[in-house]
């Protein structure tokens, strides 16, 4: 990759690190997330460098640092949050804990003269997430922004092309954040020649180079992620790919039928169907802890793959549709310093020892980007725009023990929720049904009932990293409630979840 085309983002473990690369790619410039100890010779080939935020405290001996020579490369640098504090610390400034922490929406005052903040209003709403702050500027730096509790909320050394912000321009809550990213890219003079089409071409070449003449199996789940991953790998290695779909019994209604139609009839890919419902239900018996569920499902899932792959001959690679939100929430970021939120089936839910090398061609992407790939790869819309579905399936939409009876209840309720929301075209990116392990008294047909409640969950989100609950029309909620309580025997109450992410997550477990 030529210097003029690439921006490196050094990842210090922030939950937002990957949003930085995403914003840069959205602007048409290639960005790559790398670790803080990334080879300085390769950094020198980039057109720009960004230092991300992170959970570290510079007073701790274990806090992440970078090679001091990075600041002498003459390449434009943007330091964000911890990246700003690290820059100040390594350039001779002073950092210490602030009198008051700043989390969430914060107003800053922008000073005139900063190129990276050009075009922003004087009073700017930003998103802060820090306890430490810069209290003394390094030599040659000037203050570019201030806030009520942080006198140095921005600083820069224009001569050395180093620009730093205590707030997060990559987060949508920062007004003008996109403008700041654009300003930095102008400073770097990077060409706008990155696109999803280029991503496909580059990825197929990389997959072909990495896997070579080896054989691979792909874990099809029924969703768009694994479908796109399988299609890309098939383009790269052709008949050397075999797709295996494990019917865990934890799938949505119609899942297996759609997989067979798409991949056997449409894509003409070698597909094996494995019915393993009895095995999964047996392993999940009496298990109520959500992390244990995920681990058990991930373990059994991979063991079945190992067993089935042996029937195919020598298989070296396992292809998975892992996305970036999966890896960051499972603490699988480049810097390996992000907090674990929950284990994902395609990331933290896998056992430590598996009999394959992993190929995860989508692990740098978000859901909406994968859908764009699906369109470019000419996958059917019924698959490309299908609802996101977790690897552990309906097992984590049943709070408590998973049984065949409960699966039947939540599967029927989920189908109704999806059908009704899609029928009216409501503005929501993910919607689902959750079965609670409690019962309540109700009245149906003039008789007393003692049934389970179903929780309906619907959110609006652009990347699944943050989400707002969707204000569905009352008439739609009434229709969903009426259908579920009338058509799903054993359900006598429907409630609607109005929690955003954070503090909640999209899924309940």
């Amino acid at each position: 990759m030529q210097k003029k085309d690439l921006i490196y983002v050094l990842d210090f473990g922030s939950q937002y690190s990957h949003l930085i690369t995403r914003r840069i790619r959205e602007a048409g410039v290639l960005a790559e997330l790398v670790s803080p100890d990334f080879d300085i010779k390769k950094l020198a080939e980039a057109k720009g460098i960004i230092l991300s935020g992170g959970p570290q405290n510079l007073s701790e001996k274990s806090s992440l640092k970078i090679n001091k020579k990075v600041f002498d490369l003459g390449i434009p640098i943007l330091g964000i949050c911890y990246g700003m504090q690290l820059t100040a610390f390594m350039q001779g400034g002073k950092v210490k804990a602030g009198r008051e922490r700043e989390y969430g929406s914060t107003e800053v005052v922008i000073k005139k003269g900063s190129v990276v903040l050009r075009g922003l209003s004087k009073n700017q709403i930003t998103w802060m997430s820090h306890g430490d702050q810069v209290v003394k500027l390094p030599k040659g730096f000037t203050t570019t922004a201030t806030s009520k509790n942080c006198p140095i909320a921005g600083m820069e050394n224009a001569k050395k092309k180093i620009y730093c912000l205590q707030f997060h321009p990559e987060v949508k809550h920062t007004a003008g954040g996109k403008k700041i990213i654009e300003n930095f890219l102008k400073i770097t003079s990077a060409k706008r020649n990155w696109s999803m089409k280029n991503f496909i071409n580059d990825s197929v070449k990389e997959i072909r180079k990495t896997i070579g003449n080896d054989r691979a199996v792909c874990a099809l789940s029924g969703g768009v992620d694994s479908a796109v991953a399988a299609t890309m790998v098939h383009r790269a290695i052709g008949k050397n790919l075999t797709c295996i779909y494990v019917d865990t019994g934890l799938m949505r209604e119609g899942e297996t039928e759609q997989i067979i139609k798409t991949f056997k009839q449409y894509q003409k890919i070698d597909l094996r169907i494995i019915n393993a419902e009895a095995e999964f239900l047996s392993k999940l018996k009496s298990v109520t802890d959500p992390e244990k569920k995920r681990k058990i499902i991930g373990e059994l899932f991979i063991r079945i793959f190992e067993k089935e792959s042996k029937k195919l001959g020598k298989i070296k690679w396992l292809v998975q549709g892992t996305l970036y939100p999966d890896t960051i929430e499972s603490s699988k970021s480049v810097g390996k310093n992000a907090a674990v939120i929950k284990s994902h089936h395609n990331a933290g839910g896998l056992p430590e020892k598996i009999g394959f090398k992993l190929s995860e061609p989508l692990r740098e992407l978000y859901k909406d980007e994968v859908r764009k790939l699906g369109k470019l790869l000419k996958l059917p819309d019924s698959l490309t725009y299908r609802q996101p579905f977790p690897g552990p399936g309906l097992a984590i939409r049943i709070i408590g023990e998973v049984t065949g009876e409960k699966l039947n209840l939540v599967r029927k309720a989920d189908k109704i929720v999806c059908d009704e929301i899609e029928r009216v075209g409501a503005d929501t990116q993910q919607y689902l049904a959750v079965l609670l392990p409690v019962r309540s008294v109700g009245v149906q047909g003039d008789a007393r009932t003692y049934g389970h409640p179903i929780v309906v969950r619907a959110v609006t989100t652009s990347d699944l990293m943050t989400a707002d609950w969707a204000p569905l029309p009352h008439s739609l909620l009434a229709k969903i409630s009426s259908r579920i309580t009338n058509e799903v025997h054993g359900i006598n109450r429907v409630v609607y979840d109005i929690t955003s992410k954070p503090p909640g997550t999209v899924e309940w477990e």
Side-chain angles (χ1 to χ4, degrees):
M1 184 61 61
Q2 297 180 354
K3 176 179 178 180
K4 61 184 179 182
D5 295 323
L6 183 62
I7 304 292
Y8 279 124
V9 179
L10 273 59
D11 178 19
F12 293 95
S14 169
Q15 295 287 334
Y16 304 131
S17 293
H18 223 280
L19 285 178
I20 304 171
T21 61
R22 176 184 175 133
R23 299 297 178 241
I24 296 169
R25 292 200 305 261
E26 287 174 349
V29 177
L30 177 62
E32 184 176 337
L33 195 67
V34 297
S35 62
D37 59 357
F38 192 68
D39 188 349
I40 192 169
K41 291 182 180 179
K42 292 184 178 180
L43 287 177
E45 298 173 358
K47 195 64 176 178
I49 298 170
I50 298 180
L51 311 180
S52 83
Q56 279 100 158
N57 185 318
L58 281 165
S59 63
E60 301 171 353
K61 292 183 179 180
S62 60
S63 62
L64 295 174
K65 309 289 194 307
I66 59 173
N67 190 328
K68 195 172 182 179
K69 293 180 180 179
V70 169
F71 297 105
D72 299 320
L73 292 175
I75 295 171
I77 294 174
L78 176 63
I80 298 173
C81 196
Y82 180 80
M84 170 172 163
Q85 296 164 16
L86 180 63
T87 300
F89 177 80
M90 298 190 72
Q91 291 290 290
K94 188 175 181 181
V95 178
K96 71 175 186 179
R99 288 173 295 181
E100 293 186 40
R101 297 183 176 186
E102 289 182 314
Y103 291 115
S105 183
T106 305
E107 183 178 78
V108 301
V109 178
I110 306 296
K111 294 192 174 184
K112 293 182 179 180
S114 171
V115 179
V116 80
L117 298 177
R118 181 177 293 168
L120 273 66
S121 59
K122 181 179 179 180
N123 296 93
Q124 196 76 31
I125 297 299
T126 66
W127 189 261
M128 294 279 200
S129 183
H130 70 100
D132 288 357
Q133 60 182 248
V134 177
V135 295
K136 180 183 176 183
L137 290 170
K139 185 178 179 180
F141 282 74
T142 58
T143 300
T144 58
T146 65
S147 73
K148 180 180 178 181
N149 297 314
C150 186
I152 306 176
M155 66 178 196
E156 69 178 48
N157 184 325
K159 185 176 181 180
K160 296 186 72 172
K161 300 179 183 178
I162 301 175
Y163 312 87
C164 297
L165 306 170
Q166 188 57 68
F167 54 89
H168 291 267
E170 72 275 21
V171 176
K172 66 179 182 180
H173 304 81
T174 293
K178 184 177 180 181
K179 178 65 176 174
I180 294 171
I181 298 294
E182 287 280 354
N183 286 342
F184 179 71
L185 292 177
K186 288 180 180 178
I187 293 170
T188 69
S189 300
K191 287 190 175 180
R192 312 298 177 96
N193 55 8
W194 189 90
S195 67
M196 296 307 292
K197 186 176 181 179
N198 290 341
F199 176 84
I200 293 176
N201 294 333
D202 292 344
S203 295
V204 168
K205 290 178 183 177
E206 183 63 27
I207 293 166
R208 188 177 294 127
K209 177 182 177 182
T210 302
I211 297 181
N213 293 321
D214 294 341
R215 295 185 64 193
V217 289
C218 180
L220 283 181
S221 67
V224 63
D225 306 335
S226 60
V228 169
T231 305
M232 289 181 63
V233 174
H234 186 252
R235 279 196 177 190
I237 66 173
K239 64 181 181 180
N240 280 353
L241 172 69
T242 297
C243 289
I244 298 178
Y245 172 72
V246 178
D247 187 348
T248 63
L250 310 173
M251 314 308 290
R252 292 170 290 192
E253 189 169 309
E255 203 91 62
T256 302
E257 292 78 8
Q258 184 184 56
I259 282 289
I260 293 173
K261 182 178 180 181
T262 299
F263 286 92
K264 276 194 171 182
Q265 299 177 17
Y266 180 76
Q267 293 290 340
K268 305 296 183 183
I269 294 176
D270 183 23
L271 173 64
R272 311 295 171 92
I273 305 292
I274 311 300
N275 189 336
E277 179 177 359
E279 292 179 69
F280 278 89
L281 286 180
S282 176
K283 287 283 187 180
L284 290 170
K285 187 176 181 180
S286 301
V287 178
T288 59
D289 181 81
E291 276 296 289
K292 286 184 179 179
K293 286 184 189 178
R294 289 175 178 271
K295 296 293 185 181
I296 287 170
I297 294 169
E299 173 81 28
L300 181 55
F301 194 79
I302 203 69
R303 297 310 171 209
I304 289 174
F305 259 85
E306 288 176 336
K307 181 177 69 175
E308 294 301 322
S309 69
K310 288 179 181 178
K311 300 176 183 178
L312 301 173
K314 190 175 181 180
I315 303 290
K316 286 189 177 182
W317 294 87
L318 170 62
V319 180
Q320 290 204 125
T322 309
L323 305 189
Y324 181 69
D326 300 336
T327 64
I328 194 68
E329 290 188 338
S330 299
S331 190
K332 300 291 183 181
S333 65
V334 174
K336 299 180 182 178
N337 288 279
V340 176
I341 298 171
K342 57 187 176 183
S343 295
H344 283 263
H345 183 55
N346 287 343
L350 285 177
E352 291 184 6
K353 294 183 179 180
I354 60 176
F356 308 100
K357 294 180 180 180
L358 283 180
S359 175
E360 299 172 308
L362 311 180
R363 67 179 293 114
E364 303 298 319
L365 302 181
Y366 290 83
K367 181 68 71 174
D368 62 311
E369 292 176 314
V370 174
R371 294 194 194 284
K372 291 177 183 177
L373 286 185
K375 288 288 289 184
L376 290 172
L377 292 167
K378 301 187 185 306
L379 287 171
D381 286 351
S382 59
L383 182 56
T384 300
Y385 293 102
R386 189 159 196 190
Q387 274 289 291
F389 194 58
L394 297 176
I396 58 170
R397 293 181 181 175
I398 296 172
I399 310 304
E401 182 183 10
V402 179
T403 67
E405 180 185 3
K406 291 178 181 178
L407 281 167
N408 187 49
L409 293 177
V410 76
R411 184 179 289 115
K412 289 180 178 179
D414 183 78
K415 181 67 164 58
I416 291 171
V417 170
C418 293
D419 285 350
E420 289 303 320
I421 287 179
E422 290 164 9
R423 180 180 61 81
V424 301
D427 181 21
T428 171
Q429 285 69 57
Q430 188 164 0
Y431 33 94
L432 51 104
V434 178
L435 181 68
L436 297 185
V438 296
R439 294 194 178 195
S440 63
V441 174
V443 179
Q444 291 175 302
D446 294 325
R448 177 186 184 275
T449 62
Y450 193 51
H452 289 283
I454 280 287
V455 177
V456 176
R457 175 84 160 134
V459 299
T460 58
T461 178
S462 59
D463 50 33
L464 294 180
M465 292 296 288
T466 60
D468 294 319
W469 64 274
L472 299 181
H474 289 182
S475 58
L476 174 58
L477 291 173
K479 183 65 178 294
I480 290 172
S481 177
S482 177
R483 283 197 61 192
I484 290 176
T485 53
N486 279 284
E487 298 176 28
V488 186
H489 182 70
I491 302 297
N492 66 354
R493 195 176 298 268
V494 176
V495 299
Y496 190 54
D497 182 350
I498 59 170
T499 311
S500 296
K501 175 187 180 182
T505 56
V506 175
E507 298 288 345
W508 269 51
E509 288 192 341

